[in-house]
Amino acid sequence: MLKITYYGHSCFHFDFDGTGVLVDPFITGNPKASAVDISTINAQHILLTHGHGDHVADAEQIAKNNDARILSSYEIVEWFGAKGVAGHPMNHGGTVETEFGAVKFVPAIHSSVLPDGTYGGNPGGFVIMREDVKFYIAGDTCLTMDMKLIPMLCGKIDFAILPVGGNFTMDWTEAIHAAKFVECADVIGCHFDTFPPIVIDHAKVKQAFMAQGLNLKLPTIGEVIER
Ligand code: NI
Ligand code: MN
């Protein structure tokens, strides 16, 4: 069974039968996530979509707490490596076999600079491919035609984690197209409500997804989703 915990903004934790995988930790700097204690997070692997602070802020601390390794772009893995954090570097099109399944790094259209100004390489998203579940984490991106390649290359996606807040990423109207491009009706929204420019009207957005035959979940911080 897969247990997904939402830690706010774009941060999700996946528990694959005891193996902890954390994506884009931005917790201590997020006032909305102040109830989350990062010292309690169990993660052997940390996936980072790109270098922006609202995705990597707590990665070093959580990696060191857990002796975890980082999976990300070559440049981001190098940057964390200099801080003593282990990692596995990737670039677009690459797939790595891990203890929790195959992880493919796919393109995103965005920017990627690390908190000290170091170039972070190209931003990306991930497709996690396991026997029991397959899902797409878009990362920060606009809608791209490349999303159509995901079901073509990876097969049927069970759910997709898509940004819906707009301004810095695609908005929810683009996310509706993205869900169709990846041929997946089950969407978990992220990158919404954290900052004033990305606040959304939950009822309206969910209704718009429903009208297109899509199911959108907008998790609350700390919420656990079991699938
Ligand atoms: Ni970003
Ligand atoms: Mn972001």
Side-chain angles (χ1 to χ4, degrees):
M1 193 199 335
L2 171 59
K3 202 175 110 182
I4 307 168
T5 306
Y6 183 53
Y7 288 128
H9 200 49
S10 289
C11 183
F12 290 86
H13 180 272
F14 301 90
D15 183 334
F16 298 106
D17 304 315
T19 298
V21 178
L22 188 70
V23 178
D24 285 358
F26 168 61
I27 298 165
T28 55
N30 180 0
K32 294 191 177 338
S34 58
V36 180
D37 175 3
I38 64 165
S39 71
T40 64
I41 295 175
N42 161 58
Q44 286 73 54
H45 308 266
I46 300 175
L47 274 53
L48 302 176
T49 59
H50 65 294
H52 290 159
D54 62 320
H55 298 257
V56 307
D58 293 308
E60 181 183 354
Q61 188 59 53
I62 296 170
K64 287 180 174 171
N65 290 349
N66 291 275
D67 203 16
R69 72 167 184 168
I70 287 175
L71 275 77
S72 189
S73 71
Y74 183 87
E75 292 81 358
I76 289 172
V77 166
E78 284 280 297
W79 192 76
F80 279 101
K83 297 175 182 297
V85 177
H88 181 88
M90 302 185 74
N91 215 325
H92 296 157
T95 303
V96 60
E97 293 292 337
T98 72
E99 62 172 315
F100 61 93
V103 179
K104 185 174 175 66
F105 193 52
V106 297
I109 295 184
H110 192 65
S111 52
S112 181
V113 65
L114 286 149
D116 67 355
T118 302
Y119 171 61
N122 284 315
F126 295 99
V127 183
I128 313 296
M129 296 175 278
R130 289 166 55 89
E131 296 268 302
D132 57 345
V133 68
K134 200 176 286 175
F135 59 99
Y136 170 49
I137 300 163
D140 282 7
T141 182
C142 60
L143 178 68
T144 76
M145 291 299 284
D146 289 351
M147 290 171 181
K148 293 190 175 190
L149 296 174
I150 289 171
M152 198 176 116
L153 296 172
C154 303
K156 192 190 168 342
I157 300 294
D158 296 298
F159 64 95
I161 297 179
L162 304 176
V164 293
N167 196 84
F168 304 111
T169 67
M170 61 179 163
D171 61 19
W172 58 269
T173 62
E174 288 193 17
I176 286 174
H177 292 286
K180 292 178 182 176
F181 281 11
V182 299
E183 299 170 19
C184 178
D186 210 351
V187 176
I188 300 174
C190 69
H191 220 275
F192 64 93
D193 289 358
T194 317
F195 317 113
I198 62 173
V199 170
I200 59 168
D201 179 336
H202 292 211
K204 177 180 154 192
V205 174
K206 283 184 187 173
Q207 181 56 44
F209 271 70
M210 212 181 295
Q212 298 288 321
L214 305 167
N215 174 43
L216 174 69
K217 181 159 197 64
L218 294 173
T220 54
I221 298 175
E223 183 172 351
V224 175
I225 303 163
E226 292 194 340
R227 339 186 11 122

